[in-house]
Amino acid sequence: EVQLVESGGGLVQAGGSLRLSCAGSGFPFDDYVIGWFRQAPGKEREGVSCISTKDGSTYSSDPVKGRFTISKGNVKNTVYLQMNALEPEDTALYYCAVGFGYMSWSECVLGGDLEYWGKGNLVAVSS
């Protein structure tokens, strides 16, 4: 059974940093695409960053480009989201999700092709 568990969230002041971890288990394939998403209260889910482990390529959405970095961890099936220069607008529940088929970055950030989702981890940024 594929499972994803997010960790590393919390409360931080504006300008600070956090690193989220997404630990996966039960993956049937070595190559996969993982996306990070967030949902703020009263807002729709938003795709943040995606990574393909097949070639290491990454994508970040415009609101976080230059501040957030997605990377593959040394531990198998672990992906990180390093978040720097955090802003109050980054406050949200952050989810990771995994898919095992080919998808474009636009498809990844929409999330529809990612088959398994974690339960989320809260990030709160105070001003």
Side-chain angles (χ1 to χ4, degrees):
E1 180 186 5
V2 174
Q3 291 187 330
L4 296 169
V5 178
E6 303 95 340
S7 61
L11 175 64
V12 65
Q13 287 188 329
S17 299
L18 285 172
R19 189 179 77 164
L20 299 181
S21 299
C22 174
S25 60
F27 287 9
F29 306 106
D30 290 335
D31 294 326
Y32 48 87
V33 174
I34 278 191
W36 280 100
F37 300 81
R38 65 186 183 185
Q39 188 164 20
K43 294 189 176 181
E44 292 189 355
R45 187 183 70 198
E46 175 187 19
V48 174
S49 293
C50 294
I51 185 168
S52 169
T53 63
K54 186 171 185 179
D55 59 7
S57 58
T58 63
Y59 170 87
S60 289
S61 62
D62 286 343
V64 305
K65 197 171 293 183
R67 300 189 298 124
F68 291 11
T69 303
I70 189 171
S71 63
K72 187 175 181 296
N74 291 327
V75 176
K76 188 177 181 181
N77 298 339
T78 298
V79 168
Y80 300 113
L81 184 68
Q82 178 67 43
M83 306 185 295
N84 298 328
L86 282 161
E87 304 167 351
E89 293 74 22
D90 296 318
T91 295
L93 193 60
Y94 283 71
Y95 301 86
C96 62
V98 66
F100 299 99
Y102 170 79
M103 67 190 76
S104 65
W105 291 136
S106 59
E107 290 169 331
C108 180
V109 294
L110 285 175
D113 288 341
L114 298 173
E115 300 145 281
Y116 302 93
W117 291 74
K119 294 183 178 180
N121 201 235
L122 182 63
V123 171
V125 185
S126 63
S127 57

